[in-house]
Amino acid sequence: MKYYITTPIYYVNAAPHIGHAYTTIVADMIRRFKGMQGYEAAVTTGSDEHGVNVERAAERAGKTPKEFTDVIAAAFQKEWQSLRLQVDYFQRTTNPQHARVVQDLFERCRRNGYIYKGSYTGQYCIFDNLYVNDAKPGDPCPDCGRPTETITEENFFFKLSAFGERLLELYEREPNFIQPETRRNEVMAFVKQGLTDLSITRSNIKWGIPVEGEAPHVFYVWFDALTAYMSAVDGEAMWPADLHLIGKEIVRFHAIYWPAFLMAAGLELPKRIFAHGWLLFEESKMSKSRGNIVRPEPIRRVMGVDALRYFLLREVVFGQDGSFSYDALVGRYNSDLANGLGNLASRTLTMIRQYNAGAVPAGNGAPTIAELARTTTASMIAAFAEFEFSKGLEAVWALLSATDKYIVEQAPWTLLKKGEEGRAAPGASCSRARRSAR
Ligand code: MSP
């Protein structure tokens, strides 16, 4: 059975930071987890390369948009490689094969009567590519707070207003479609207020996928970007996605627009959308303008990818916001990994070597610890299946400390001195234990 996971396809106006790495690390981890359960799991990530802000960023850098996006898309790919994250499909929205799938989605929606031409005048945020309904000239963008711009243009509209009931039915029928619960409630409340139609093409931007036969229209970036989840696996029997992993700020696009586009086109819907919280740096969201961006690369070089992965999964309750700090990272590294896991592993390996000639003793070991290991495995699997990663890891670390405590209480080194080799190395023959203890 397949299990298809996606991360957002990231904007190429900035190099990858730990926020992007967070989602991609979780996607890779779920891929591993599902793989262990026998699924044929695959991950799609990629780069979102169109839109007016990319056009402008390229201009500032003295490059064509293509030259500009090539560099950053490559930086993202390299980042995932160096973090040893398995990416099965890296989709760039500038890939011509992707453009064909976007055009096809539009044609399907149009054929089914959900597209019409209309005129739009309103406020628009060029940074978030967001048309801000009900805003007055000069009003700030609700997402980033920067002033919106007034634009008027003829666009193709998508009849989003026709999908309110169907979306609400979907959320009722599939209570896990949007998780966590808080996000589901927000989305449902938003849809219940009534949906307005959505302008899905732009005529004032050059850097976008052309609407066939309708120059100068290009597709609105979200219509373009969301389709990457499908175009990445076109012809691969992976669609529908089993899981869209996203950050909480893009829930509306994923939980409202995307299923509506797919319903209009008569295509299958993704199974689940999970929106996690933000990694905050000293209580605020990381951003270029605040100058508080943390890069994964130096952490990887000093501590390794496993430590970074462990920290992010253990420290932050998945779904909620969490703080990133170097102190917390070093603290967890020392207490949980070096002292907890590291000491127990080294102590256990030393005992196996010293008391049992390097062979793992036969038998089930101490019944209490064996039982705890069984229940811990079950609760870890259950927690991970529910996206409760920190809870699952907490259970594993409880097993580690119980094992440590057991060793201290049993004190196999004193048992050996008293001649009770059988208990020091259960299952080992006395002669072997005696030989190696000498
Ligand atoms: N291009 C759009 C997504 C299109 S998907 C069809 C976009 N790109 S983005 O580069 O801004 O990436 C946003 C995503 O990166 C978030 O949804 C989240 O997955 C991840 N994160 C970026 N910063 C983050 C934090 N500070 N904390 C946690 N995740 C963050 O939106």
mmCIF file of all heavy atoms in Angstrom, residues 7-13 17-20 22-23 48 76 222 225-227 229 245-250 254 276-280 285-286, ligand 1:
data_model
loop_
_atom_site.group_PDB
_atom_site.id
_atom_site.type_symbol
_atom_site.label_atom_id
_atom_site.label_comp_id
_atom_site.label_asym_id
_atom_site.label_seq_id
_atom_site.Cartn_x
_atom_site.Cartn_y
_atom_site.Cartn_z
ATOM 1 N N THR A 7 5.113 18.123 1.642
ATOM 2 C CA THR A 7 5.391 19.338 2.426
ATOM 3 C C THR A 7 4.935 20.493 1.545
ATOM 4 O O THR A 7 4.728 20.293 0.338
ATOM 5 C CB THR A 7 6.890 19.531 2.703
ATOM 6 O OG1 THR A 7 7.511 20.025 1.501
ATOM 7 C CG2 THR A 7 7.567 18.254 3.146
ATOM 8 N N PRO A 8 4.803 21.693 2.084
ATOM 9 C CA PRO A 8 4.545 22.817 1.186
ATOM 10 C C PRO A 8 5.700 22.912 0.185
ATOM 11 O O PRO A 8 6.817 22.466 0.471
ATOM 12 C CB PRO A 8 4.562 24.034 2.117
ATOM 13 C CG PRO A 8 4.289 23.502 3.480
ATOM 14 C CD PRO A 8 4.900 22.133 3.492
ATOM 15 N N ILE A 9 5.426 23.446 -0.960
ATOM 16 C CA ILE A 9 6.560 23.740 -1.849
ATOM 17 C C ILE A 9 6.971 25.168 -1.488
ATOM 18 O O ILE A 9 6.147 26.078 -1.458
ATOM 19 C CB ILE A 9 6.209 23.530 -3.334
ATOM 20 C CG1 ILE A 9 4.952 24.297 -3.716
ATOM 21 C CG2 ILE A 9 6.022 22.055 -3.647
ATOM 22 C CD1 ILE A 9 4.854 24.470 -5.208
ATOM 23 N N TYR A 10 8.220 25.317 -1.143
ATOM 24 C CA TYR A 10 8.665 26.542 -0.482
ATOM 25 C C TYR A 10 8.954 27.663 -1.480
ATOM 26 O O TYR A 10 9.397 27.420 -2.597
ATOM 27 C CB TYR A 10 9.912 26.243 0.361
ATOM 28 C CG TYR A 10 9.656 25.142 1.373
ATOM 29 C CD1 TYR A 10 10.240 23.877 1.221
ATOM 30 C CD2 TYR A 10 8.795 25.349 2.450
ATOM 31 C CE1 TYR A 10 9.983 22.855 2.137
ATOM 32 C CE2 TYR A 10 8.534 24.335 3.357
ATOM 33 C CZ TYR A 10 9.131 23.097 3.199
ATOM 34 O OH TYR A 10 8.860 22.095 4.095
ATOM 35 N N TYR A 11 8.708 28.883 -1.005
ATOM 36 C CA TYR A 11 9.021 30.054 -1.825
ATOM 37 C C TYR A 11 10.532 30.143 -2.025
ATOM 38 O O TYR A 11 11.302 29.843 -1.110
ATOM 39 C CB TYR A 11 8.558 31.342 -1.143
ATOM 40 C CG TYR A 11 7.071 31.548 -1.147
ATOM 41 C CD1 TYR A 11 6.397 31.935 0.010
ATOM 42 C CD2 TYR A 11 6.327 31.382 -2.315
ATOM 43 C CE1 TYR A 11 5.018 32.135 0.008
ATOM 44 C CE2 TYR A 11 4.953 31.581 -2.325
ATOM 45 C CZ TYR A 11 4.306 31.951 -1.159
ATOM 46 O OH TYR A 11 2.956 32.146 -1.161
ATOM 47 N N VAL A 12 10.884 30.643 -3.186
ATOM 48 C CA VAL A 12 12.316 30.704 -3.491
ATOM 49 C C VAL A 12 12.892 32.094 -3.261
ATOM 50 O O VAL A 12 13.965 32.411 -3.757
ATOM 51 C CB VAL A 12 12.608 30.286 -4.952
ATOM 52 C CG1 VAL A 12 12.410 28.809 -5.149
ATOM 53 C CG2 VAL A 12 11.755 31.098 -5.913
ATOM 54 N N ASN A 13 12.175 32.930 -2.512
ATOM 55 C CA ASN A 13 12.757 34.264 -2.285
ATOM 56 C C ASN A 13 13.741 34.293 -1.133
ATOM 57 O O ASN A 13 14.326 35.319 -0.836
ATOM 58 C CB ASN A 13 11.676 35.336 -2.137
ATOM 59 C CG ASN A 13 10.597 34.909 -1.172
ATOM 60 O OD1 ASN A 13 10.674 33.818 -0.637
ATOM 61 N ND2 ASN A 13 9.623 35.746 -0.947
ATOM 62 N N HIS A 17 15.490 27.758 5.848
ATOM 63 C CA HIS A 17 15.836 27.934 7.267
ATOM 64 C C HIS A 17 15.206 26.805 8.066
ATOM 65 O O HIS A 17 14.602 25.885 7.509
ATOM 66 C CB HIS A 17 15.458 29.331 7.764
ATOM 67 C CG HIS A 17 13.998 29.666 7.698
ATOM 68 N ND1 HIS A 17 13.040 28.992 8.420
ATOM 69 C CD2 HIS A 17 13.333 30.610 6.998
ATOM 70 C CE1 HIS A 17 11.853 29.509 8.180
ATOM 71 N NE2 HIS A 17 12.000 30.485 7.304
ATOM 72 N N ILE A 18 15.357 26.895 9.386
ATOM 73 C CA ILE A 18 14.955 25.756 10.205
ATOM 74 C C ILE A 18 13.442 25.512 10.200
ATOM 75 O O ILE A 18 12.986 24.391 10.421
ATOM 76 C CB ILE A 18 15.504 25.925 11.638
ATOM 77 C CG1 ILE A 18 15.496 24.577 12.341
ATOM 78 C CG2 ILE A 18 14.751 26.974 12.415
ATOM 79 C CD1 ILE A 18 16.584 24.409 13.312
ATOM 80 N N GLY A 19 12.656 26.563 9.879
ATOM 81 C CA GLY A 19 11.207 26.390 9.763
ATOM 82 C C GLY A 19 10.868 25.467 8.594
ATOM 83 O O GLY A 19 10.042 24.560 8.708
ATOM 84 N N HIS A 20 11.515 25.691 7.452
ATOM 85 C CA HIS A 20 11.302 24.802 6.301
ATOM 86 C C HIS A 20 11.806 23.395 6.639
ATOM 87 O O HIS A 20 11.184 22.395 6.292
ATOM 88 C CB HIS A 20 12.056 25.294 5.055
ATOM 89 C CG HIS A 20 11.793 26.715 4.685
ATOM 90 N ND1 HIS A 20 12.788 27.673 4.656
ATOM 91 C CD2 HIS A 20 10.648 27.349 4.354
ATOM 92 C CE1 HIS A 20 12.250 28.828 4.296
ATOM 93 N NE2 HIS A 20 10.964 28.666 4.113
ATOM 94 N N TYR A 22 11.947 22.015 9.472
ATOM 95 C CA TYR A 22 11.048 21.366 10.441
ATOM 96 C C TYR A 22 9.987 20.524 9.718
ATOM 97 O O TYR A 22 9.854 19.325 9.984
ATOM 98 C CB TYR A 22 10.392 22.461 11.288
ATOM 99 C CG TYR A 22 9.444 21.981 12.354
ATOM 100 C CD1 TYR A 22 9.815 20.992 13.261
ATOM 101 C CD2 TYR A 22 8.165 22.524 12.465
ATOM 102 C CE1 TYR A 22 8.936 20.569 14.253
ATOM 103 C CE2 TYR A 22 7.289 22.117 13.453
ATOM 104 C CZ TYR A 22 7.677 21.133 14.348
ATOM 105 O OH TYR A 22 6.805 20.733 15.325
ATOM 106 N N THR A 23 9.264 21.141 8.797
ATOM 107 C CA THR A 23 8.212 20.410 8.081
ATOM 108 C C THR A 23 8.819 19.247 7.286
ATOM 109 O O THR A 23 8.264 18.146 7.255
ATOM 110 C CB THR A 23 7.454 21.344 7.106
ATOM 111 O OG1 THR A 23 7.199 22.579 7.761
ATOM 112 C CG2 THR A 23 6.153 20.722 6.650
ATOM 113 N N ASP A 48 8.247 26.881 -4.995
ATOM 114 C CA ASP A 48 7.138 27.685 -5.505
ATOM 115 C C ASP A 48 7.777 28.925 -6.128
ATOM 116 O O ASP A 48 8.245 29.801 -5.424
ATOM 117 C CB ASP A 48 6.258 28.053 -4.304
ATOM 118 C CG ASP A 48 4.944 28.686 -4.690
ATOM 119 O OD1 ASP A 48 4.746 28.959 -5.882
ATOM 120 O OD2 ASP A 48 4.123 28.917 -3.783
ATOM 121 N N PHE A 76 17.706 24.574 -1.905
ATOM 122 C CA PHE A 76 16.750 23.745 -1.152
ATOM 123 C C PHE A 76 17.065 22.263 -1.345
ATOM 124 O O PHE A 76 17.127 21.499 -0.389
ATOM 125 C CB PHE A 76 15.301 24.046 -1.585
ATOM 126 C CG PHE A 76 14.678 25.164 -0.783
ATOM 127 C CD1 PHE A 76 14.756 26.482 -1.213
ATOM 128 C CD2 PHE A 76 14.015 24.889 0.411
ATOM 129 C CE1 PHE A 76 14.182 27.510 -0.463
ATOM 130 C CE2 PHE A 76 13.434 25.911 1.157
ATOM 131 C CZ PHE A 76 13.524 27.231 0.723
ATOM 132 N N TRP A 222 -1.415 30.486 -6.102
ATOM 133 C CA TRP A 222 -1.909 29.353 -5.301
ATOM 134 C C TRP A 222 -2.545 28.276 -6.163
ATOM 135 O O TRP A 222 -2.442 27.092 -5.856
ATOM 136 C CB TRP A 222 -2.849 29.820 -4.182
ATOM 137 C CG TRP A 222 -2.055 30.313 -3.008
ATOM 138 C CD1 TRP A 222 -1.752 31.605 -2.709
ATOM 139 C CD2 TRP A 222 -1.404 29.512 -2.002
ATOM 140 N NE1 TRP A 222 -0.965 31.655 -1.580
ATOM 141 C CE2 TRP A 222 -0.748 30.397 -1.122
ATOM 142 C CE3 TRP A 222 -1.317 28.142 -1.752
ATOM 143 C CZ2 TRP A 222 -0.014 29.972 -0.020
ATOM 144 C CZ3 TRP A 222 -0.590 27.707 -0.658
ATOM 145 C CH2 TRP A 222 0.051 28.618 0.188
ATOM 146 N N ALA A 225 0.592 26.651 -7.395
ATOM 147 C CA ALA A 225 1.417 25.958 -6.400
ATOM 148 C C ALA A 225 0.759 24.699 -5.847
ATOM 149 O O ALA A 225 1.399 23.643 -5.736
ATOM 150 C CB ALA A 225 1.741 26.913 -5.261
ATOM 151 N N LEU A 226 -0.514 24.787 -5.497
ATOM 152 C CA LEU A 226 -1.185 23.621 -4.896
ATOM 153 C C LEU A 226 -1.159 22.421 -5.848
ATOM 154 O O LEU A 226 -1.033 21.268 -5.423
ATOM 155 C CB LEU A 226 -2.630 23.980 -4.539
ATOM 156 C CG LEU A 226 -2.790 24.932 -3.349
ATOM 157 C CD1 LEU A 226 -4.152 25.624 -3.365
ATOM 158 C CD2 LEU A 226 -2.599 24.182 -2.027
ATOM 159 N N THR A 227 -1.239 22.722 -7.134
ATOM 160 C CA THR A 227 -1.280 21.652 -8.133
ATOM 161 C C THR A 227 0.040 20.869 -8.191
ATOM 162 O O THR A 227 0.083 19.753 -8.710
ATOM 163 C CB THR A 227 -1.646 22.266 -9.507
ATOM 164 O OG1 THR A 227 -2.805 23.065 -9.323
ATOM 165 C CG2 THR A 227 -1.924 21.221 -10.552
ATOM 166 N N TYR A 229 1.423 19.323 -5.894
ATOM 167 C CA TYR A 229 1.276 18.063 -5.147
ATOM 168 C C TYR A 229 0.848 16.932 -6.077
ATOM 169 O O TYR A 229 1.214 15.780 -5.869
ATOM 170 C CB TYR A 229 0.214 18.218 -4.055
ATOM 171 C CG TYR A 229 0.543 19.238 -2.990
ATOM 172 C CD1 TYR A 229 -0.460 20.043 -2.442
ATOM 173 C CD2 TYR A 229 1.832 19.389 -2.500
ATOM 174 C CE1 TYR A 229 -0.181 20.964 -1.443
ATOM 175 C CE2 TYR A 229 2.110 20.307 -1.510
ATOM 176 C CZ TYR A 229 1.108 21.091 -0.986
ATOM 177 O OH TYR A 229 1.385 21.994 0.003
ATOM 178 N N LEU A 245 1.324 17.944 4.819
ATOM 179 C CA LEU A 245 1.858 18.589 6.023
ATOM 180 C C LEU A 245 2.087 20.047 5.694
ATOM 181 O O LEU A 245 2.757 20.360 4.705
ATOM 182 C CB LEU A 245 3.223 17.987 6.378
ATOM 183 C CG LEU A 245 3.283 16.702 7.143
ATOM 184 C CD1 LEU A 245 4.750 16.327 7.346
ATOM 185 C CD2 LEU A 245 2.582 16.824 8.491
ATOM 186 N N ILE A 246 1.568 20.912 6.547
ATOM 187 C CA ILE A 246 1.739 22.344 6.288
ATOM 188 C C ILE A 246 1.910 23.098 7.603
ATOM 189 O O ILE A 246 1.649 22.554 8.674
ATOM 190 C CB ILE A 246 0.508 22.945 5.545
ATOM 191 C CG1 ILE A 246 -0.775 22.708 6.356
ATOM 192 C CG2 ILE A 246 0.375 22.370 4.149
ATOM 193 C CD1 ILE A 246 -1.991 23.464 5.820
ATOM 194 N N GLY A 247 2.311 24.366 7.507
ATOM 195 C CA GLY A 247 2.304 25.243 8.667
ATOM 196 C C GLY A 247 0.924 25.881 8.783
ATOM 197 O O GLY A 247 0.189 25.978 7.802
ATOM 198 N N LYS A 248 0.595 26.346 9.980
ATOM 199 C CA LYS A 248 -0.786 26.791 10.239
ATOM 200 C C LYS A 248 -1.215 28.018 9.430
ATOM 201 O O LYS A 248 -2.403 28.265 9.282
ATOM 202 C CB LYS A 248 -0.957 27.074 11.735
ATOM 203 C CG LYS A 248 -0.097 28.229 12.244
ATOM 204 C CD LYS A 248 -0.315 28.462 13.733
ATOM 205 C CE LYS A 248 0.481 29.682 14.172
ATOM 206 N NZ LYS A 248 0.349 29.945 15.614
ATOM 207 N N GLU A 249 -0.250 28.776 8.887
ATOM 208 C CA GLU A 249 -0.629 30.015 8.185
ATOM 209 C C GLU A 249 -1.194 29.758 6.796
ATOM 210 O O GLU A 249 -1.719 30.673 6.165
ATOM 211 C CB GLU A 249 0.584 30.964 8.120
ATOM 212 C CG GLU A 249 1.638 30.656 7.066
ATOM 213 C CD GLU A 249 2.467 29.406 7.353
ATOM 214 O OE1 GLU A 249 2.299 28.795 8.428
ATOM 215 O OE2 GLU A 249 3.266 29.028 6.480
ATOM 216 N N ILE A 250 -1.087 28.518 6.311
ATOM 217 C CA ILE A 250 -1.590 28.272 4.957
ATOM 218 C C ILE A 250 -2.729 27.240 4.942
ATOM 219 O O ILE A 250 -2.983 26.590 3.930
ATOM 220 C CB ILE A 250 -0.443 27.898 3.977
ATOM 221 C CG1 ILE A 250 0.397 26.733 4.502
ATOM 222 C CG2 ILE A 250 0.452 29.097 3.719
ATOM 223 C CD1 ILE A 250 1.503 26.299 3.528
ATOM 224 N N HIS A 254 -5.173 25.310 1.735
ATOM 225 C CA HIS A 254 -5.176 23.847 1.611
ATOM 226 C C HIS A 254 -6.531 23.219 1.932
ATOM 227 O O HIS A 254 -6.912 22.241 1.310
ATOM 228 C CB HIS A 254 -4.105 23.234 2.521
ATOM 229 C CG HIS A 254 -2.731 23.402 1.979
ATOM 230 N ND1 HIS A 254 -2.041 24.589 2.056
ATOM 231 C CD2 HIS A 254 -1.915 22.542 1.305
ATOM 232 C CE1 HIS A 254 -0.858 24.447 1.472
ATOM 233 N NE2 HIS A 254 -0.755 23.228 1.008
ATOM 234 N N HIS A 276 0.850 22.165 11.339
ATOM 235 C CA HIS A 276 1.615 22.291 12.589
ATOM 236 C C HIS A 276 1.794 23.761 12.948
ATOM 237 O O HIS A 276 1.453 24.659 12.167
ATOM 238 C CB HIS A 276 2.958 21.564 12.476
ATOM 239 C CG HIS A 276 3.876 22.120 11.430
ATOM 240 N ND1 HIS A 276 4.455 23.358 11.532
ATOM 241 C CD2 HIS A 276 4.305 21.595 10.261
ATOM 242 C CE1 HIS A 276 5.213 23.564 10.477
ATOM 243 N NE2 HIS A 276 5.128 22.520 9.670
ATOM 244 N N GLY A 277 2.337 23.991 14.135
ATOM 245 C CA GLY A 277 2.523 25.369 14.598
ATOM 246 C C GLY A 277 3.835 25.947 14.087
ATOM 247 O O GLY A 277 4.509 25.357 13.231
ATOM 248 N N TRP A 278 4.180 27.079 14.614
ATOM 249 C CA TRP A 278 5.410 27.744 14.189
ATOM 250 C C TRP A 278 6.533 27.493 15.177
ATOM 251 O O TRP A 278 6.315 27.423 16.389
ATOM 252 C CB TRP A 278 5.194 29.255 14.119
ATOM 253 C CG TRP A 278 4.409 29.673 12.935
ATOM 254 C CD1 TRP A 278 4.205 28.970 11.777
ATOM 255 C CD2 TRP A 278 3.703 30.907 12.800
ATOM 256 N NE1 TRP A 278 3.429 29.705 10.921
ATOM 257 C CE2 TRP A 278 3.109 30.894 11.522
ATOM 258 C CE3 TRP A 278 3.530 32.028 13.616
ATOM 259 C CZ2 TRP A 278 2.348 31.943 11.047
ATOM 260 C CZ3 TRP A 278 2.765 33.078 13.140
ATOM 261 C CH2 TRP A 278 2.187 33.038 11.879
ATOM 262 N N LEU A 279 7.718 27.407 14.621
ATOM 263 C CA LEU A 279 8.911 27.429 15.462
ATOM 264 C C LEU A 279 9.210 28.892 15.688
ATOM 265 O O LEU A 279 9.415 29.652 14.731
ATOM 266 C CB LEU A 279 10.103 26.837 14.714
ATOM 267 C CG LEU A 279 10.240 25.348 14.615
ATOM 268 C CD1 LEU A 279 11.575 25.034 13.954
ATOM 269 C CD2 LEU A 279 10.177 24.709 15.987
ATOM 270 N N LEU A 280 9.204 29.280 16.940
ATOM 271 C CA LEU A 280 9.459 30.678 17.257
ATOM 272 C C LEU A 280 10.884 30.819 17.759
ATOM 273 O O LEU A 280 11.427 29.897 18.369
ATOM 274 C CB LEU A 280 8.487 31.157 18.346
ATOM 275 C CG LEU A 280 7.008 30.922 18.034
ATOM 276 C CD1 LEU A 280 6.146 31.270 19.238
ATOM 277 C CD2 LEU A 280 6.583 31.741 16.827
ATOM 278 N N LYS A 285 7.996 34.880 15.354
ATOM 279 C CA LYS A 285 8.167 34.039 14.173
ATOM 280 C C LYS A 285 9.472 34.430 13.484
ATOM 281 O O LYS A 285 9.818 35.594 13.421
ATOM 282 C CB LYS A 285 6.987 34.228 13.224
ATOM 283 C CG LYS A 285 7.012 33.178 12.132
ATOM 284 C CD LYS A 285 5.775 33.146 11.271
ATOM 285 C CE LYS A 285 5.878 31.967 10.325
ATOM 286 N NZ LYS A 285 5.695 32.313 8.923
ATOM 287 N N MET A 286 10.161 33.427 13.003
ATOM 288 C CA MET A 286 11.413 33.734 12.309
ATOM 289 C C MET A 286 11.097 34.419 10.992
ATOM 290 O O MET A 286 10.224 33.983 10.261
ATOM 291 C CB MET A 286 12.149 32.443 11.979
ATOM 292 C CG MET A 286 12.892 31.906 13.147
ATOM 293 S SD MET A 286 13.628 30.346 12.718
ATOM 294 C CE MET A 286 13.175 29.424 14.161
HETATM 295 N N1 MSP B 1 4.911 28.594 -1.246
HETATM 296 C C1 MSP B 1 3.981 28.545 -0.191
HETATM 297 C C2 MSP B 1 3.414 27.155 -0.011
HETATM 298 C C3 MSP B 1 2.739 26.600 -1.213
HETATM 299 S S1 MSP B 1 2.222 24.966 -0.966
HETATM 300 C C4 MSP B 1 1.283 24.582 -2.254
HETATM 301 C C5 MSP B 1 4.689 28.943 1.111
HETATM 302 N N2 MSP B 1 6.029 28.853 1.127
HETATM 303 S S2 MSP B 1 6.970 29.226 2.369
HETATM 304 O O1 MSP B 1 8.316 29.165 1.877
HETATM 305 O O2 MSP B 1 6.562 30.432 2.987
HETATM 306 O O3 MSP B 1 6.844 28.029 3.350
HETATM 307 C C6 MSP B 1 5.888 28.020 4.342
HETATM 308 C C7 MSP B 1 5.993 26.721 5.103
HETATM 309 O O4 MSP B 1 7.322 26.535 5.624
HETATM 310 C C8 MSP B 1 5.106 26.686 6.329
HETATM 311 O O5 MSP B 1 3.784 26.344 5.991
HETATM 312 C C9 MSP B 1 5.818 25.655 7.157
HETATM 313 O O6 MSP B 1 5.580 24.392 6.642
HETATM 314 C C10 MSP B 1 7.272 26.019 6.933
HETATM 315 N N3 MSP B 1 7.727 27.078 7.824
HETATM 316 C C11 MSP B 1 8.280 28.264 7.461
HETATM 317 N N4 MSP B 1 8.617 28.946 8.585
HETATM 318 C C12 MSP B 1 8.295 28.242 9.668
HETATM 319 C C13 MSP B 1 8.461 28.425 11.051
HETATM 320 N N5 MSP B 1 9.014 29.481 11.578
HETATM 321 N N6 MSP B 1 8.036 27.429 11.849
HETATM 322 C C14 MSP B 1 7.487 26.280 11.360
HETATM 323 N N7 MSP B 1 7.316 26.100 10.073
HETATM 324 C C15 MSP B 1 7.664 27.071 9.194
HETATM 325 O O7 MSP B 1 3.997 29.282 2.058
#
